[in-house]
Amino acid sequence: MPTALFELTLQFLTLSLLSFGGAAAALPDIHRRVVDVHGWMTNSEFTQMFALSQAAPGPNVLVVCLIGWKVAGVLGGIVAMTAMCAPSSVLTYVVAHASDRFREAPLRVAIQNGLVPVTVGLIVASGYVLTVNTDHGVPAYVVTLLSLAVLVFTRVHPLWVLGAGGIVGMLGLLAH
Amino acid sequence: MHSLPSGPPVATPPSLRTLFFRFMEVGLSGFGGVLPFARRMLVEQRAWLTEHEFAEMLSLGQFLPGPNIVNVAVMVGRKFHGVRGSFAAVGGLMLMPMAIVMTLGALYAQFAELAVVRNTMGGVAAAASGLVLAMGFKMARAIRTRPVAIGVAAVAFAAIAFARLPLIWVLGVMAPVAVALAWWKRL
């Protein structure tokens, strides 16, 4: 197997079991491995991949597919996505099989309650890391803050928010 | 009537083929998150699960590592057809979105020299960052009255955002501490 495919597989196999709270919570670590450790893409390429993945239909773990594609083509996309989903899926299957027995177990309740605040911190950190790597200049920060506010305080569909951001960008208002 | 919270699901169990295609629809219907569409299909439209069963699968899917919706698909597939069902559900869920996102990537690579395309993507990216922040803040509402939980979230945030520590170290230290705090009802 070519080195890049092998490395992709290895990286996402481990990330799969670390992604408590889903792909969004693991995003800073994906960024760290993909940009800082392996140098597979630049900061701005990474955030472009993320934006593209958000503009496509599907779960937000799709960013992993796009990163794999960027690194090693279509095969890379398939390999990265499979690696990201396989270990956690096997674990889920096994645990679901046994779960009836310990659904109310105090330890499971404690694990679940304990992980919630950790996940909250990780996801806000994801947003922060994306923001500082994406936004250059005050107008871009304003777009990020406005989209945050609209999504927190209204029920507007996220796709409208992404579209509005795209239009602001297309008009050249964020160019620097 | 299918959304009544009690009683067994009234629908006949789906075939592998049906699982595959219904999950394909779910995968294609949401942007940046398809869980609400999965609930609508599984509980309201198909009645494959009761509201309670869905809530249980979702909470287990969120509790375990991995993409939440993929974990739910694994469990739904397993319920009806074991391992083959899990493959059908996850495959249906991911296949089209993967093809679409890689096509978008190729199109973007083709036209990225155009300033207008780059500028547009810059705007989408800035909005997308806000989308992730919003997800975090909405989840934070659940812990806003619990100072210790807020403290745990703040430490996790700082460890990743400012200290840029590897996730495995952050989880390795923080998960046991947070679970211990929850165990002793201090969270």
Side-chain angles (χ1 to χ4, degrees):
Chain A
M1 206 192 306
T3 327
L5 276 183
F6 179 75
E7 268 300 325
L8 267 177
T9 310
L10 211 63
Q11 294 304 322
F12 285 107
L13 280 176
T14 51
L15 278 162
S16 176
L17 293 176
L18 290 174
S19 57
F20 290 93
L27 213 51
D29 210 52
I30 297 177
H31 176 271
R32 189 185 63 84
R33 293 173 187 226
V34 168
V35 177
D36 302 340
V37 177
H38 283 92
W40 280 327
M41 58 188 79
T42 64
N43 257 335
S44 75
E45 283 171 330
F46 183 88
T47 55
Q48 281 159 11
M49 292 301 116
F50 179 73
L52 270 178
S53 75
Q54 296 295 295
N60 55 20
V61 66
L62 272 182
V63 64
V64 168
C65 175
L66 208 48
I67 288 168
W69 171 83
K70 177 83 177 165
V71 174
V74 172
L75 193 56
I78 295 168
V79 160
M81 196 64 172
T82 308
M84 182 70 184
C85 293
S88 55
S89 293
V90 171
L91 182 66
T92 298
Y93 195 95
V94 172
V95 171
H97 212 73
S99 79
D100 289 345
R101 267 180 292 153
F102 60 87
R103 183 180 306 143
E104 307 295 336
L107 183 58
R108 186 188 155 188
V109 175
I111 292 174
Q112 193 148 7
N113 290 340
L115 287 180
V116 168
V118 178
T119 303
V120 168
L122 294 181
I123 291 181
V124 178
S126 279
Y128 174 84
V129 169
L130 280 171
T131 304
V132 297
N133 284 307
T134 307
D135 296 358
H136 309 286
V138 174
Y141 281 104
V142 172
V143 169
T144 300
L145 285 177
L146 277 178
S147 92
L148 164 65
V150 168
L151 290 163
V152 169
F153 296 115
T154 73
R155 294 176 157 273
V156 170
H157 195 285
L159 200 56
W160 291 112
V161 176
L162 294 182
I167 290 170
V168 172
M170 190 171 65
L171 296 174
L173 301 177
L174 308 180
H176 46 94
Chain B
M1 153 178 127
H2 287 177
S3 59
L4 286 176
S6 57
V10 294
T12 47
S15 65
L16 281 173
R17 192 189 150 87
T18 310
L19 266 178
F20 182 87
F21 284 107
R22 292 293 84 79
F23 268 99
M24 179 175 283
E25 282 175 20
V26 167
L28 289 172
S29 40
F31 287 78
V34 297
L35 273 172
F37 298 94
R39 198 202 69 86
R40 207 163 72 99
M41 184 275 280
L42 291 166
V43 180
E44 291 176 22
Q45 296 177 331
R46 298 278 152 179
W48 290 344
L49 305 176
T50 63
E51 198 76 67
H52 184 73
E53 281 174 312
F54 179 76
E56 255 182 25
M57 283 188 185
L58 180 59
S59 97
L60 194 58
Q62 289 175 329
F63 156 80
L64 294 168
N68 299 336
I69 179 65
V70 174
N71 289 347
V72 169
V74 165
M75 287 184 271
V76 174
R78 173 189 159 270
K79 176 182 155 94
F80 295 112
H81 291 287
V83 174
R84 290 184 310 153
S86 296
F87 271 100
V90 175
L93 180 72
M94 299 310 303
L95 204 62
M96 290 302 288
M98 284 172 70
I100 291 171
V101 85
M102 288 192 280
T103 307
L104 273 181
L107 280 174
Y108 179 68
Q110 195 84 35
F111 295 107
E113 314 96 270
L114 301 178
V116 66
V117 174
R118 274 202 317 276
N119 287 341
T120 305
M121 277 315 291
V124 174
S129 312
L131 207 130
V132 177
L133 284 172
M135 188 194 327
F137 282 113
K138 283 182 184 172
M139 289 178 67
R141 284 174 179 163
I143 59 167
R144 68 177 185 275
T145 56
R146 291 149 50 198
V148 180
I150 293 171
V152 168
V155 174
F157 170 80
I160 295 288
F162 299 142
R164 298 294 168 98
L165 295 173
L167 182 58
I168 193 164
W169 296 358
V170 176
L171 278 175
V173 174
M174 293 212 60
V177 170
V179 170
L181 285 169
W183 177 261
W184 302 111
K185 311 273 189 236
R186 293 291 151 80
L187 203 63

